[in-house]
Amino acid sequence: MDTPRALTPPEEDLWRAFARVLNVLPRVIDVELQTKANITAPEYVALSNLGDARPDGLRISELAARVGLSASRVSRLADSLVRRGEVDRHQDPDDARGHRLTITDAGLTRIEAAWPHQVDSVRRNVLDHVDEADYEVLTRTLRAIVE
């Protein structure tokens, strides 16, 4: 194996700042949502994506890809949401071996109630720290990192 090229000081600064965001931001937003809206960040993101996918819903693998979690984690999350009546799980009409998840009225009500708290948290913890002129470059960069 070739010796890796060391990070330059600016690269190291960028990496450390990015690693801190990865560790701190999800916890901050999750705690705020749980405290103010009684919903976890993963629940909010899953329900929001299922709301966007109405009326057909999504397969677990599709939802996992959209939210950036493993299929097993999304399956456990879906089980919890189904038990609470916020998501329905039904046979996929295109694949008898698979299931689709669809959001229920109760799930829509839950994310609608949480929405103002989520927007406030995202604004305070992310957007207020980024110049609007940088949105496009930052969005493109972050998408390139995860895709």
Side-chain angles (χ1 to χ4, degrees):
M1 175 177 167
D2 293 336
T3 302
R5 186 171 50 98
L7 298 178
T8 65
E11 290 170 335
E12 185 69 33
D13 286 347
L14 173 60
W15 167 244
R16 288 182 185 203
F18 186 70
R20 183 161 166 76
V21 166
L22 291 174
N23 290 321
V24 172
L25 188 60
R27 281 195 318 264
V28 168
I29 290 176
D30 191 59
V31 167
E32 288 183 8
L33 282 175
Q34 287 184 60
T35 302
K36 296 177 180 178
N38 194 31
I39 189 170
T40 67
E43 289 169 341
Y44 184 87
V45 171
L47 288 171
S48 295
N49 275 277
L50 290 171
D52 292 345
R54 285 179 294 164
D56 298 328
L58 297 168
R59 293 178 59 98
I60 286 178
S61 59
E62 294 170 323
L63 183 56
R66 286 188 183 196
V67 303
L69 297 172
S70 69
S72 64
R73 172 75 172 97
V74 169
S75 183
R76 288 191 304 277
L77 179 60
D79 290 343
S80 174
L81 296 171
V82 167
R83 279 192 302 277
R84 283 202 301 264
E86 296 168 350
V87 169
D88 284 329
R89 180 179 288 152
H90 50 89
Q91 198 76 38
D92 187 337
D94 299 326
D95 181 358
R97 299 169 297 161
H99 293 88
R100 294 190 82 74
L101 303 171
T102 55
I103 193 167
T104 65
D105 289 342
L108 285 171
T109 298
R110 191 162 185 224
I111 59 170
E112 287 168 357
W115 178 81
H117 304 289
Q118 188 266 352
V119 168
D120 177 62
S121 184
V122 168
R123 285 201 182 283
R124 278 185 300 97
N125 293 297
V126 180
L127 299 176
D128 288 352
H129 304 281
V130 179
D131 290 330
E132 191 172 341
D134 296 330
Y135 285 4
E136 185 180 335
V137 170
L138 186 55
T139 299
R140 187 175 58 247
T141 301
L142 293 173
R143 284 183 178 151
I145 290 170
V146 297
E147 292 174 356

